[in-house]
Amino acid sequence: MSELDAMDDQQFEYALRDLLVRDGWAATKVGRGGDQAADVIGVLIPLGRIVVQAKYTRVGGKVGSSVMYEVNGTAGPSHRANHAVVVTNGSFTRDAMAWGDRHGVHWIDRDRLDQWAHKGKALHELLRLPARRARLPWRRAA
């Protein structure tokens, strides 16, 4: 984990993109000002589209619920994502994890990031992502 901790926020986003590519996703780093809570977007058939929000912290930093709210509000409508995940090299508050679990925003904390980055577990296996539905979740039937 020391190499991830030594990165800056941009390098961290590129590292997450590279991990998705390793796992078979067609992934692009899109994070910048006004990115609407998406730093990396990936596609893997049949899992669909994933939005990754990276939250690089100094060691010991915690990510709060507000990040989960933001990602939940933009993943589908703005990015047409089937899955949303927030990844940090730190940890999450108890409220953030519980809210994410209730509302379908996945989270990768320091321990899970270690499994993904260094133990070779694919992100979609780690999160147990289901295959995408035939109809996108934010589209309404006519």
Side-chain angles (χ1 to χ4, degrees):
M1 291 296 294
S2 60
E3 66 274 6
L4 289 171
D5 291 335
M7 295 178 176
D8 64 25
D9 57 342
Q10 292 293 311
Q11 293 168 327
F12 187 63
E13 291 173 12
Y14 279 112
L16 298 181
R17 181 212 51 199
D18 293 348
L19 285 168
L20 279 175
V21 169
R22 179 203 72 187
D23 293 347
W25 295 79
T28 306
K29 181 193 171 304
V30 296
R32 62 189 179 290
D35 61 21
Q36 297 184 11
D39 293 314
V40 179
I41 295 177
V43 176
L44 179 64
I45 297 173
L47 298 175
R49 189 174 176 94
I50 192 168
V51 166
V52 176
Q53 174 65 34
K55 287 298 174 190
Y56 176 81
T57 68
R58 295 289 170 219
V59 176
K62 287 194 174 200
V63 176
S65 299
S66 63
V67 173
M68 300 303 216
Y69 310 152
E70 184 179 8
V71 171
N72 188 56
T74 61
S78 297
H79 303 294
R80 303 179 327 273
N82 304 95
H83 312 285
V85 62
V86 180
V87 180
T88 185
N89 63 320
S91 62
F92 290 88
T93 64
R94 194 172 309 132
D95 288 342
M97 292 183 291
W99 196 93
D101 291 345
R102 274 194 315 275
H103 297 281
V105 177
H106 301 280
W107 49 271
I108 297 290
D109 62 3
R110 187 174 187 79
D111 292 335
R112 288 179 172 181
L113 180 59
D114 186 46
Q115 290 177 39
W116 182 26
H118 299 109
K119 300 207 169 49
K121 188 144 189 172
L123 180 65
H124 52 279
E125 293 169 356
L126 191 62
L127 298 178
R128 296 184 181 111
L129 294 181
R132 68 180 176 182
R133 294 176 275 204
R135 192 171 61 86
L136 298 176
W138 63 90
R139 293 208 179 146
R140 295 183 183 177

